[in-house]
């Protein structure tokens, strides 16, 4: 490794956790005292909001959210500080510590989903139950039959979503890799060439935005973020795919890079029909927890994300800017919701929006969930050289190998992607 990389690893494993602890403490100690106010009272929560607005840059979308919803931040003094990741397998209920088991995991999993919706992602409507498809055009591309399709659903079928489907070469029930951009087709190239995989791309993404057309009017005003909404739209594609005779309904995978990686994680977390996930450089709100994000180092802090991209997550999360340790949830809960399905986290070692230390913290916190479910080999991490890009034939081949082996189960995924942490470190040992 170069000297600069050695220095970066040192900063990650030694200084970053300490900086997170110190910065949160400074933010709170600098605020005016509210100790005289009754804990949890309306007056105290209003005072907390006033302090927050004085401390943070103004965001018109956040002000509109406050006016529309009338919401107030919680009394942070009543919330426990969790500087490291909340344990998805352990929680406090009625004053007693509870531990998840295989028997009660469905109930605990629903708790995690509810917490993610409440604090970060917002809620989605139930499935419309009436998705229909119109094939607008059939063509041939690179030896594949391709359909351009318009999905309609919801009241009077007024919601519309465009889909492009590359049919698998074999018409026997095959797997499908679903994404929100055509550029991800190369990820499934090797799997598609073998004939037992197809590729689908939908329009719920930047620059296309079919998923936002009339959604509020059709399904009611909701607090869902764009990540939640786009994930819900991907599920409408699944509603259609599982009706096709050449699609194996148990072998539909989803993936994406950067923001699309966040969407893929979110979609699979709330729809168990997705058989597995490839998440590439998903960064903050994906592979990087909010607790371990800082815009001056790597990723996007809660403050920056809710200011620069206020629709990505629910603006309720902005209450926790400077109080990230008080968040009852974090993005690693998405991984817990996906367990025990195959999940590949692909991270570039020099990525400007991720840090490998945080990726490994997520992996280590979620591994016990997979182990409990008896599928420990389904959680894998792959490091790749370079920055925030998706290029590289070796990377594309690795993604196809993941899809093929996740589908066939010929060998454990950990045999393909052995976990070799860059930071074999613990706070206690340090």
């Amino acid at each position: 490794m170069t000297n600069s990389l050695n220095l970066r690893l040192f900063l990650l494993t030694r200084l970053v956790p300490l900086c997170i602890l110190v910065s949160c403490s400074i933010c709170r100690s600098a605020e005016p005292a509210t100790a005289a106010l009754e804990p949890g009272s309306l007056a105290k929560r209003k005072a907390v909001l006033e302090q927050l607005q004085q401390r943070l840059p103004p965001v018109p979308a956040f002000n509109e959210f406050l006016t529309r919803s009338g919401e107030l931040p919680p009394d942070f003094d009543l919330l426990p500080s969790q500087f490291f990741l909340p344990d998805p397998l352990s929680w406090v209920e009625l004053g007693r510590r509870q531990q998840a088991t295989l028997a009660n995991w469905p109930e605990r999993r629903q708790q995690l989903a509810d917490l993610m919706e409440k604090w970060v992602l917002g809620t989605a409507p139930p499935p419309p139950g009436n998705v229909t498809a119109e094939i607008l055009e059939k063509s041939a591309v690179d030896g594949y039959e391709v359909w351009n399709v318009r999905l309609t659903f919801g009241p009077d079928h007024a919601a519309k979503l465009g889909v492009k489907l590359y049919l698998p070469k074999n018409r026997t029930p095959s797997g499908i890799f679903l994404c929100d951009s055509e550029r991800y087709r190369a990820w499934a190239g090797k799997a598609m060439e073998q004939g037992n995989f197809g590729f689908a791309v939908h329009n719920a993404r930047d620059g296309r935005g079919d998923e936002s057309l009339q959604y509020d009017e059709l399904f009611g005003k909701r607090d869902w973020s764009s990540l939640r909404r786009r994930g819900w739209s991907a599920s409408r594609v699944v509603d259609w795919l599982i009706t096709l005779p050449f699609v194996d309904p148990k072998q539909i995978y989803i993936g994406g890079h950067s923001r699309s990686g966040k969407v893929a994680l979110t979609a699979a977390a709330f729809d168990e029909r997705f058989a597995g996930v490839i998440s590439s450089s998903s960064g903050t709100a994906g592979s990087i927890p909010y607790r371990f994000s800082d815009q001056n180092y790597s990723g996007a802090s809660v403050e920056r994300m809710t200011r620069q991209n206020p629709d990505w997550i629910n603006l309720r999360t902005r209450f926790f800017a400077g109080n990230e340790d008080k968040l009852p949830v974090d993005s690693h809960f998405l991984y817990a919701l996906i367990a025990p399905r195959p999940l590949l986290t692909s991270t570039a070692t020099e990525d400007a929006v991720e840090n490998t230390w945080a990726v490994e913290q997520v992996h280590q916190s979620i591994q016990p969930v997979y182990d409990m479910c008896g599928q420990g080999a389904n959680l894998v991490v792959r490091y790749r050289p370079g920055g925030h890009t998706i290029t590289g034939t070796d990377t594309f081949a690795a993604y196809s190998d993941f899809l093929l082996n996740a589908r066939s189960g010929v060998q454990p995924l950990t045999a393909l992607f052995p976990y070799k942490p860059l930071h074999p470190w613990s706070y206690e040992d340090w």
Side-chain angles (χ1 to χ4, degrees):
M1 285 186 289
T2 64
N3 290 335
S4 63
L5 182 56
N6 276 320
L7 176 60
R8 184 170 185 258
L9 297 184
F10 171 81
L11 292 172
L12 280 168
T13 57
R14 299 297 189 268
L15 300 184
V16 170
L18 183 61
C19 290
I20 292 169
L21 287 152
V22 172
S23 63
C24 290
S25 300
I26 291 174
C27 284
R28 285 199 290 272
S29 64
E31 294 174 349
T34 57
L37 299 175
E38 181 182 353
S41 66
L42 193 63
K44 184 169 184 181
R45 294 172 65 197
K46 287 182 177 178
V48 171
L49 177 59
E50 183 179 352
Q51 295 169 359
L52 187 76
Q53 290 176 308
Q54 291 174 352
R55 176 163 53 86
L56 301 181
V59 174
F62 183 58
N63 294 335
E64 192 275 332
F65 160 76
L66 294 173
T67 301
R68 181 183 73 251
S69 67
E71 291 200 32
L72 293 170
D75 181 350
F76 294 114
D77 291 337
L78 298 180
L79 297 177
S81 288
Q82 301 177 84
F83 290 104
F84 289 91
L85 297 179
D87 186 354
L89 295 177
S90 178
W91 71 101
V92 175
E93 186 174 315
L94 300 176
R96 297 184 60 183
R97 176 66 59 179
Q98 307 291 326
Q99 187 68 29
T101 64
L102 199 57
N104 66 17
W105 177 242
E107 291 78 14
R108 175 54 177 166
R109 186 182 181 282
Q110 186 59 52
Q111 289 177 352
L112 299 181
D114 293 343
L115 287 168
M116 285 299 293
E117 287 193 317
K118 177 179 180 180
W119 293 112
V120 176
L121 293 171
T123 56
N130 65 341
V131 174
T132 60
E134 177 186 1
I135 300 177
L136 304 177
E137 181 186 20
K138 292 184 179 181
S139 61
V141 177
D142 298 332
Y144 296 93
E145 183 178 347
V146 179
W147 294 354
N148 280 315
V149 179
R150 178 192 293 128
L151 302 183
T152 61
F153 49 90
D156 299 322
H157 285 272
K160 298 175 176 60
L161 182 65
V163 181
K164 188 174 185 178
L165 175 64
Y166 288 75
L167 278 65
K169 290 183 175 180
N170 298 336
R171 293 300 191 265
T172 55
S174 300
I176 298 291
F177 185 46
L178 174 64
C179 300
D180 64 6
S181 173
E182 182 113 20
R183 63 179 180 160
Y184 303 125
R185 179 160 65 98
W187 293 15
K190 178 180 174 182
M192 292 172 68
E193 280 300 314
Q194 292 196 11
N196 57 0
F197 254 95
F199 175 73
V201 55
H202 63 80
N203 285 350
R205 62 180 296 268
D206 288 350
R208 309 294 282 276
D210 284 6
E211 93 288 349
S212 65
L213 297 179
Q214 302 179 341
Y215 270 23
D216 284 345
E217 292 79 3
L218 294 172
F219 303 111
K221 281 283 187 180
R222 292 184 172 271
D223 64 348
W224 55 354
S225 60
S226 67
L227 297 182
R228 184 75 172 95
R229 187 177 68 246
R230 293 176 181 186
W232 186 86
S233 293
S235 291
R236 307 292 66 82
V237 183
V238 177
D239 292 343
W240 169 59
L241 289 174
I242 62 177
T243 69
L244 302 175
F246 52 81
V247 172
D248 184 341
K250 295 182 179 180
Q251 297 296 331
I252 299 174
Y253 298 82
I254 190 169
H257 173 77
S258 195
R259 191 186 324 184
S260 298
K262 307 181 207 292
V263 171
L265 290 167
T266 303
F270 289 92
D271 190 340
E272 294 185 82
R273 296 176 300 175
F274 287 106
V277 183
I278 298 175
S279 175
S280 168
S281 298
S282 55
T284 306
S287 59
I288 307 300
Y290 302 98
R291 283 168 168 77
F292 302 151
S293 297
D294 183 282
Q295 66 234 36
N296 296 316
Y297 171 70
S298 178
S301 66
V302 167
E303 191 286 314
R304 182 176 181 177
M305 178 173 288
T306 54
R307 171 168 44 89
Q308 293 189 346
N309 305 289
D311 65 323
W312 285 16
I313 57 178
N314 191 289
L315 282 167
R316 189 180 295 115
T317 315
R318 188 168 176 81
F319 289 144
F320 291 87
N323 289 286
E324 289 84 354
D325 59 301
K326 298 287 188 174
L327 259 173
V329 302
D330 221 314
S331 63
H332 69 305
F333 278 8
L334 293 173
Y335 286 64
L337 292 171
I338 293 168
R341 290 165 285 166
L343 171 54
L344 169 62
T345 298
S346 179
T347 295
T349 53
E350 296 299 316
D351 200 319
V353 304
E354 289 191 310
N355 71 75
T356 52
W357 181 84
V359 167
E360 292 178 7
Q361 292 299 302
V362 169
H363 181 86
Q364 293 164 19
S365 71
I366 298 302
Q367 188 67 63
V369 180
Y370 275 78
D371 291 342
M372 179 189 69
C373 296
Q375 299 293 333
N378 276 350
L379 182 66
V380 291
V381 173
R382 178 180 184 269
Y383 286 129
R384 62 186 195 277
H388 194 67
T389 66
I390 63 169
T391 58
T393 54
D394 61 327
T395 292
F396 299 158
Y399 294 164
S400 270
D401 286 342
F402 172 84
L403 293 171
L404 289 167
N405 282 273
R407 185 177 189 273
S408 66
V410 170
Q411 60 179 319
L413 290 171
T414 48
L416 286 174
F417 305 96
Y419 179 54
K420 299 178 180 178
L422 297 177
H423 318 290
W425 168 89
S426 75
Y427 186 81
E428 290 76 13
D429 290 344
W430 178 48

